[in-house]
Amino acid sequence: DERNSDISHNTIIVSSYTHNGTNHIIKSASTSSHINSINNNVITYDFQGYHRFQWVINTSHYTNVKNNTINGDELESAIYAGGYCAVENNTITGDYSSHVLYVGGDSSVVKDNLVTNSGGGYGYYTNYGSGQEIKNNVFYHSGSGPMAYVHNSNANLHHNLFEGNSGRGINYTYQSSGQIYNNTLVSNTGDYGIYQSNQTVASVYNNIFQGFDNGVYVENTIANYNLNNNLFWDIDENVFSGTALPPLAGQMIAENPNGLTADIYNNLYFDPLFVHPDTNNYSIQAGSPAVNAGYASTADPDGSVSDIGAYYYHIYVTMAHTALGNTNDVTGPYRVKAKLSSPAGATITGSVYYAVDGGSYAELPMTAASNDTFYADIPGQALNTTIEYYISGTDGDNTSTLPYNISGG
């Protein structure tokens, strides 16, 4: 309809053996002067054994589809939304053979959805769309379906988690474009993390790829130089492949700004150090090589250089220090200097903890100097003495140490 309709707070249960032609559980249409809403519904579809329903929700344009719970047993698709739609915060589970989310048209936003698909359908699919944004979604696929398929469209995919079985991660094809960044893609046996083909050019940066046969494939007649600051791990074959690779992509012959072995585009091959992937916690630990290893022109919400992956590690206190070396000086003191700062602008205090020949640690409060510099002086020691030390910085509520994870010396 075109009457600003509101379909909300319903419980809908459908049990079907077959259907005659196209079938939808909820059908809606609108124009630019009318905004429809399909919100806060609980919809259950019970398949009885012949033809699947095509859609649970089908809406053409200018519709909000938010906060719905959809449980589908053998459906073709969960939601179709046209242009200028918001598909947000829906929880969708079941077996979907075609697509879970099919978004057509222009300028639609797909965010904060939780998708659990046991079928072979795409998590997100678009065809001939422009200006779409797909962000902060979680896709769990135990079947063969890929996370996303972008066909002849412009779409930005960022801050999504994809945990898949045998499906491809993200597929851009037929002159598609956009940006693919800060996603975490984990697979058991998927063939590619990202696959670009048919004159597609999309930037790929700040993504984590783990467990795929191959990392990123790019096919084009011109090189794609926007393949940077990604982290790969447990890739069976090629980190990068295809006709559009820039020179030396994937050859780990350089270092990134954090001193880690990388290619000349700051791509890394290290264990990302997820917090607890066995329970689907793909946040990164403090010591992850992904921390502050992202594209230098982008920042995390804490104000620091962007991390790689969908979930950043919040830094409350930043620390930089050049370790002291051996010395013949027995008089001392041995000055320990460090830069300590808060991305949020909080007041920082620091301490140096040192131990002599394996003894207990003593604390030395650090003195604040200029330009975020702090220092403390370790007293002089006799020759052949071993001094171990670490630095602690706090904003009053949060404490960081350098090195990381110092506990009891």
Side-chain angles (χ1 to χ4, degrees):
D1 59 56
E2 297 181 357
R3 301 182 180 87
N4 297 318
S5 68
D6 183 3
I7 304 172
S8 63
H9 296 91
N10 300 287
T11 298
I12 302 171
I13 300 173
V14 176
S15 180
S16 174
Y17 175 76
T18 186
H19 69 80
N20 183 18
T22 301
N23 242 305
H24 321 284
I25 295 175
I26 295 177
K27 173 74 173 177
S28 178
S30 188
T31 63
S32 60
S33 59
H34 302 84
I35 305 297
N36 289 348
S37 296
I38 304 172
N39 300 335
N40 297 292
N41 300 285
V42 177
I43 306 167
T44 301
Y45 174 77
D46 182 18
F47 178 67
Q48 294 296 308
Y50 194 54
H51 288 142
R52 299 176 183 232
F53 262 44
Q54 189 172 12
W55 309 101
V56 176
I57 295 172
N58 184 302
T59 181
S60 57
H61 303 290
Y62 300 99
T63 302
N64 295 323
V65 183
K66 300 181 179 180
N67 304 313
N68 299 286
T69 299
I70 299 173
N71 300 298
D73 177 18
E74 298 197 43
L75 282 152
E76 290 187 20
S77 303
I79 297 173
Y80 174 82
Y84 305 95
C85 290
V87 181
E88 301 178 9
N89 202 38
N90 300 285
T91 300
I92 305 169
T93 60
D95 176 346
Y96 299 90
S97 61
S98 296
H99 338 83
V100 181
L101 305 171
Y102 183 165
V103 182
D106 301 335
S107 302
S108 288
V109 177
V110 179
K111 70 175 184 178
D112 299 321
N113 299 286
L114 173 60
V115 172
T116 304
N117 180 21
S118 59
Y122 309 128
Y124 156 80
Y125 176 83
T126 187
N127 189 17
Y128 301 104
S130 178
Q132 294 190 13
E133 185 172 19
I134 300 86
K135 64 180 181 179
N136 303 328
N137 302 286
V138 175
F139 297 89
Y140 296 126
H141 284 213
S142 59
S144 60
M147 183 187 96
Y149 193 102
V150 177
H151 181 277
N152 198 228
S153 299
N154 171 265
N156 295 327
L157 275 71
H158 61 96
H159 296 91
N160 302 287
L161 168 66
F162 172 69
E163 182 188 74
N165 184 22
S166 60
R168 185 170 293 178
I170 298 172
N171 198 332
Y172 271 52
T173 189
Y174 285 98
Q175 301 178 355
S176 291
S177 62
Q179 298 186 72
I180 307 169
Y181 63 96
N182 282 107
N183 301 286
T184 295
L185 297 97
V186 179
S187 176
N188 289 327
T189 59
D191 60 352
Y192 289 92
I194 290 178
Y195 193 95
Q196 297 186 20
S197 61
N198 299 100
Q199 303 302 311
T200 286
V201 179
S203 301
V204 179
Y205 61 94
N206 288 12
N207 302 285
I208 295 176
F209 304 94
Q210 178 173 307
F212 290 89
D213 293 341
N214 300 274
V216 175
Y217 177 89
V218 284
E219 173 194 312
N220 207 319
T221 55
I222 57 174
N224 184 346
Y225 281 86
N226 297 309
L227 309 174
N228 55 280
N229 297 87
N230 300 287
L231 188 151
F232 300 86
W233 184 243
D234 192 23
I235 304 299
D236 291 337
E237 299 177 25
N238 299 305
V239 172
F240 287 105
S241 57
T243 60
L245 290 182
L248 302 178
Q251 299 184 34
M252 304 303 172
I253 58 175
E255 287 187 352
N256 77 347
N258 299 333
L260 298 175
T261 300
D263 71 4
I264 63 174
Y265 308 101
N266 293 322
N267 295 296
L268 303 169
Y269 193 92
F270 289 99
D271 185 340
L273 297 180
F274 295 125
V275 171
H276 208 303
D278 291 344
T279 58
N280 300 323
N281 186 344
Y282 290 100
S283 298
I284 53 176
Q285 301 177 44
S288 169
V291 174
N292 288 354
Y295 188 33
S297 297
T298 59
D300 285 332
D302 62 11
S304 64
V305 173
S306 62
D307 297 348
I308 299 175
Y311 308 119
Y312 80 103
Y313 180 83
H314 193 99
I315 295 175
Y316 296 95
V317 180
T318 64
M319 313 180 76
H321 165 67
T322 300
L324 300 182
N326 295 331
T327 181
N328 292 322
D329 178 9
V330 297
T331 303
Y334 314 123
R335 177 155 291 187
V336 178
K337 295 196 298 183
K339 281 188 173 290
L340 311 178
S341 63
S342 163
T347 299
I348 300 297
T349 58
S351 294
V352 171
Y353 293 83
Y354 77 100
V356 177
D357 289 335
S360 60
Y361 277 81
E363 179 183 5
L364 297 172
M366 300 185 82
T367 299
S370 60
N371 299 319
D372 297 326
T373 299
F374 291 73
Y375 67 89
D377 293 330
I378 298 175
Q381 304 292 326
L383 287 175
N384 300 317
T385 298
T386 298
I387 300 174
E388 297 174 300
Y389 71 93
Y390 68 92
I391 302 168
S392 175
T394 181
D395 62 3
D397 296 315
N398 306 280
T399 299
S400 295
T401 61
L402 189 66
Y404 292 117
N405 301 325
I406 295 294
S407 177

